[in-house]
Amino acid sequence: MIQSVSMMVQVDYFERLGGKAIRKAESVRGIAALLVAALRRMPVLRRASIRPVLYRQIYFTGIEAFSIIAVMGVLIGIAIITQVTNLAGLNPLLIGKILVWTVVRELGPIFAAIIIIARSSSAVASELGAMKAGKEIDRLWSMGIDPLEYLIVPRIAGSALSLFILTFYFQVAAVAGGLVLSSLIVNTPIIPQLQGIFSVLGLFEMSISLVKSVVFGIVIGTVSCYHGLSVKQSITEIPQVTSRAVLQSLTMMFVLNVVITVFSFLW
Amino acid sequence: MVRLNGLVTESFGPVSVEVGHGETFGFQTESEYAAGVMMETLTGSLRPEAGSVEVMGRDLYAVERRKAMEVFRNVGVVWSDGGLISNLKVWENIALPAMYHEGASPASIEGRVVELLGTLGISGSYAEAYLSRLPGLLPRHERRIAGLVRAMVTEPGLMIYEDVFDGLTPYEAGRLAGVIVEFHQARAGRASVFVVKDWDSIDLLGVTRTVELLPKNPRR
């Protein structure tokens, strides 16, 4: 009796685990299908009726995040320079190189993506979820307007463009702000640090960083839209899809970061 | 323009009807819920349990939704609650189909919008304030007016209305009916389909043919 109950518990556990894995696989497949469909419709961004949606998305996702990105960038720059100085002594060339290796290669795209996930992923998912629950998606169809073209494509493109701009802005803030403030706080000379930076900062470094930012932006936008549209009928589903959008965006961002880093710098 | 062939939904059926060019046709239902089901079915949002729905010659449920809904560029749908997009201001809602399908500029439709709103009792400084509001701040009948103007601006060949007089005073209903009838007659061949709960609305609109949507499983 006890053995059969224990076996039942084990079977139930594996069923739930398997069910979770299947649901995860289905959501990844759904996200990929939405992304492919959206990429095919990117030319609709030329239409005058859709451009305001794109501009609005860039404004809310990108422009409104400028101040927080700048502050975070400067703080990260100061922290890195302080740590390097503490570990390796006053070595301006090394500080410059480490700033590039950490901020440009890794932290720039990642931190900008985290800011966008925190601010916009939940907003997009909840907005689309509310539209779905309120039947506004069906109302668009009844006007002969494809919601994929009017709602999804501008949000994905806006997310990618915003992250591209914010990544670059973060890197400039981290490097420039870090250099200036650390020269005041830690007394490190600026010119040798700049020499260190430019000795390792090349087109390849910048390109990989910006490719990461665009890829992250596309994925974050797609994941947020997918989960928002997965709401069936009830507004009580909205908080659930919002947290799923944030968590899945974070997970996919970190996975893609590793994939791009390994392919770019090791192969 | 509209052809229902053996249509059966969760609320009513079977229904077989054909609405031709220039006709005014009424579906009379027992409940607001059944009216909503009919509207969702006619606009491609709710697959019927049986039968087919053809709008402007296209079977809405036999092809991919994107292909099916292309015909709605020439169909104006007026929902009882307006059917507006909640994060767009009233003006943006009204201009959306015209700008999306025809590439119309705001200036080119502004005059027509102001004229239509004037006939519906919204004019002057109130119209300015009205157009700049979000739909959530408006009472139901004013959202319905925005939905009506949005549908009319594109001059479609087919109009579908849901319970347009719900909640209106007799005076407001009479004025609205006058605007709808005049709009119907303004273009030769334009068809108008009304989904309503009560027969009084049918009389006010001068509907020529009607069908009562009987419940699938009537109480005995």
Side-chain angles (χ1 to χ4, degrees):
Chain A
M1 173 75 172
I2 292 171
Q3 243 183 350
S4 65
V5 166
S6 150
M7 274 177 66
M8 277 169 59
V9 167
Q10 278 183 355
V11 167
D12 181 50
Y13 171 77
F14 283 114
E15 270 180 2
R16 279 188 280 124
L17 200 61
K20 236 183 178 174
I22 290 171
R23 281 193 298 275
K24 279 268 182 288
E26 278 173 359
S27 89
V28 172
R29 193 178 60 180
I31 288 165
L34 181 63
L35 176 57
V36 167
L39 289 175
R40 279 195 186 137
R41 308 272 177 80
M42 282 292 160
V44 302
L45 292 172
R46 287 187 295 221
R47 296 170 77 158
S49 54
I50 293 179
R51 275 202 300 272
V53 185
L54 172 67
Y55 298 154
R56 210 173 292 176
Q57 192 62 40
I58 293 173
Y59 177 78
F60 286 123
T61 303
I63 293 173
E64 282 201 332
F66 269 179
S67 52
I68 188 168
I69 282 282
V71 168
M72 285 189 63
V74 168
L75 292 174
I76 293 284
I78 295 173
I80 289 171
I81 291 170
T82 307
Q83 288 288 1
V84 173
T85 307
N86 184 45
L87 289 167
L90 204 62
N91 188 336
L93 275 175
L94 182 63
I95 288 171
K97 288 179 181 181
I98 289 179
L99 262 181
V100 170
W101 291 334
T102 54
V103 170
V104 175
R105 285 188 180 191
E106 293 296 321
L107 295 183
I110 288 176
F111 266 90
I114 288 173
I115 294 294
I116 284 199
I117 291 169
R119 291 187 76 253
S120 303
S121 180
S122 52
V124 168
S126 59
E127 185 190 20
L128 291 177
M131 290 181 78
K132 186 89 187 294
K135 299 193 176 185
E136 291 178 26
I137 307 293
D138 289 338
R139 301 297 176 256
L140 283 173
W141 279 119
S142 74
M143 290 186 255
I145 295 173
D146 186 345
L148 179 64
E149 292 181 358
Y150 184 70
L151 296 175
I152 309 305
V153 167
R155 277 163 176 75
I156 293 175
S159 174
L161 283 168
S162 297
L163 196 42
F164 179 86
I165 296 165
L166 288 177
T167 297
F168 182 72
Y169 192 57
F170 178 91
Q171 289 162 346
V172 168
V175 170
L179 285 181
V180 169
L181 287 170
S182 68
S183 74
L184 298 169
I185 299 167
V186 189
N187 215 17
T188 47
I190 293 180
I191 303 295
Q193 287 179 87
L194 280 173
Q195 285 172 341
I197 287 169
F198 288 118
S199 70
V200 292
L201 183 65
L203 196 58
F204 180 72
E205 309 280 336
M206 291 297 300
S207 304
I208 297 302
S209 154
L210 296 174
V211 162
K212 278 187 182 180
S213 66
V214 171
V215 168
F216 293 168
I218 289 173
V219 167
I220 291 166
T222 311
V223 168
S224 308
C225 291
Y226 173 82
H227 285 289
L229 293 176
S230 68
V231 166
K232 300 271 183 314
Q233 287 179 345
S234 168
I235 57 170
T236 56
E237 296 174 59
I238 293 172
Q240 296 166 25
V241 302
T242 300
S243 59
R244 258 181 245 141
V246 169
L247 286 171
Q248 194 163 21
S249 294
L250 273 172
T251 306
M252 291 184 79
M253 185 267 292
F254 280 115
V255 167
L256 285 168
N257 182 59
V258 166
V259 168
I260 296 173
T261 298
V262 165
F263 271 97
S264 307
F265 296 106
L266 290 185
W267 283 26
Chain B
M1 284 217 156
V2 176
R3 184 185 295 160
L4 309 181
N5 197 4
L7 177 69
V8 177
T9 71
E10 60 189 71
S11 296
F12 55 81
V15 178
S16 294
V17 136
E18 194 165 335
V19 180
H21 290 270
E23 280 200 71
T24 52
F25 190 92
F27 289 104
Q28 199 264 331
T29 73
E30 280 197 349
S31 66
E32 202 172 306
Y33 181 75
V37 169
M38 180 48 123
M39 286 295 291
E40 303 271 335
T41 308
L42 280 177
T43 54
S45 298
L46 185 62
R47 181 176 286 273
E49 291 177 0
S52 65
V53 178
E54 276 182 36
V55 174
M56 306 293 245
R58 190 160 296 176
D59 187 330
L60 298 185
Y61 299 99
V63 296
E64 186 199 18
R65 193 169 189 183
R66 189 165 172 250
K67 274 266 168 263
M69 303 317 287
E70 281 172 357
V71 298
F72 278 79
R73 296 177 188 199
N74 194 22
V75 178
V77 182
V78 184
W79 301 90
S80 182
D81 63 359
L84 305 181
I85 306 302
S86 53
N87 62 2
L88 296 179
K89 293 177 186 167
V90 171
W91 163 250
E92 292 168 321
N93 266 286
I94 290 174
L96 178 59
M99 289 177 65
Y100 187 88
H101 294 305
E102 298 159 18
S105 66
S108 66
I109 59 173
E110 190 180 340
R112 178 77 175 126
V113 169
V114 170
E115 182 194 338
L116 285 168
L117 286 175
T119 61
L120 292 161
I122 296 178
S123 59
S125 58
Y126 185 73
E128 267 186 59
Y130 170 78
L131 288 169
S132 63
R133 285 207 183 111
L134 287 172
L137 299 173
L138 298 176
R140 188 182 169 97
H141 77 275
E142 286 194 358
R143 295 202 303 272
R144 191 184 307 151
I145 285 173
L148 177 64
V149 172
R150 178 181 67 188
M152 288 179 167
V153 157
T154 56
E155 296 286 342
L158 169 66
M159 289 284 287
I160 302 175
Y161 301 86
E162 178 193 23
D163 249 343
V164 283
F165 301 131
D166 181 44
L168 298 184
T169 64
Y171 171 73
E172 287 167 341
R175 182 174 59 191
L176 184 58
V179 170
I180 290 173
V181 168
E182 193 182 323
F183 184 74
H184 173 81
Q185 292 168 347
R187 174 172 156 174
R190 174 176 283 146
S192 296
V193 173
F194 300 92
V195 180
V196 296
K197 279 201 319 291
D198 58 275
W199 289 110
D200 292 340
S201 306
I202 299 286
D203 294 336
L204 213 50
L205 293 162
V207 169
T208 52
R209 277 204 302 144
T210 58
V211 148
E212 194 176 348
L213 299 176
L214 297 171
K216 226 167 49 169
N217 300 306
R219 272 180 252 134
R220 296 187 190 283

